[in-house]
């Protein structure tokens, strides 16, 4: 597995996403903390939303860029369970990692719609996946911090505790 695929699904920069997301109940994932803008659930929903857009773009589906930042977070209330959301994210991450392993496609240009009013960007599959890996790392780090604040870290399979 190359480093890009590892950054998407394995232990590269931190614990694997599957570990970071395990062992949470629906209630805990949706727990709100004072002065914290998003729950663990909302953070993962946001990750899954953008991950699907990346998967669309790298397969030639020009899914529009959201009109406003709030469009990238879950509707309230959201009927999807934590476990369904977790599985949807992990499945998409596996798809992204598979794309990262397809070395014949990594330098293929793809059209990536931009914010409303901005021109469409052209990026390589590799660049789009690197952007996804960085975005995922940022929000998975927020999920780790939220788990720590909720006294729900480390997960059952372990995670970095420093």
């Amino acid at each position: 597995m190359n480093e890009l695929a590892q950054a998407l699904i394995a232990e590269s920069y931190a614990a694997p996403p599957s570990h970071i997301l395990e062992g949470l109940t629906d209630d805990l994932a949706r727990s709100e903390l004072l002065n914290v803008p998003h729950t663990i659930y909302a953070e993962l929903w946001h990750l899954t939303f953008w991950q699907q857009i990346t998967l669309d773009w790298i397969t030639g589906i020009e899914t529009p860029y959201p009109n406003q930042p709030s469009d990238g977070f879950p509707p309230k209330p959201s009927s999807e369970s934590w476990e369904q959301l977790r599985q949807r994210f992990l499945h998409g991450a596996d798809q992204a990692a598979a794309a990262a392993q397809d070395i014949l496609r990594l330098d293929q240009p793809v059209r990536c719609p931009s914010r409303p009013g901005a021109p469409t960007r052209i990026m390589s599959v590799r660049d789009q996946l690197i952007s996804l890996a960085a975005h995922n790392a940022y929000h998975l780090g927020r999920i780790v911090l939220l788990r720590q604040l909720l006294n729900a870290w480390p997960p059952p399979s372990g995670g970095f505790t420093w």
Side-chain angles (χ1 to χ4, degrees), residues 22-39:
E22 73 181 1
L24 291 170
T25 64
D26 201 65
D27 287 341
L28 192 58
R30 294 174 192 260
S31 293
E32 295 183 8
L33 294 168
L34 187 63
N35 297 320
V36 176
H38 303 292
T39 64

Side-chain angles (χ1 to χ4, degrees), residues 28-29 40 44 46 77 90 122 129 132:
L28 192 58
I40 291 172
L44 185 61
H46 175 79
L90 293 173
I122 305 297
L129 291 171
L132 176 64

Side-chain angles (χ1 to χ4, degrees), residues 5 15 30 38 64 75 93 116 125-127 135-136 147-148:
R30 294 174 192 260
H38 303 292
V125 169
R126 178 191 325 270
D127 286 344
H135 183 257
N136 286 4
R147 286 190 72 149
Q148 291 168 332

Side-chain angles (χ1 to χ4, degrees), residues 9 51-52 55 87-98 132:
I9 63 168
Q51 183 170 259
Q52 186 58 55
L55 292 170
Q87 289 303 319
R88 190 162 59 93
F89 170 78
L90 293 173
H91 176 71
D94 286 341
Q95 290 177 293
L132 176 64

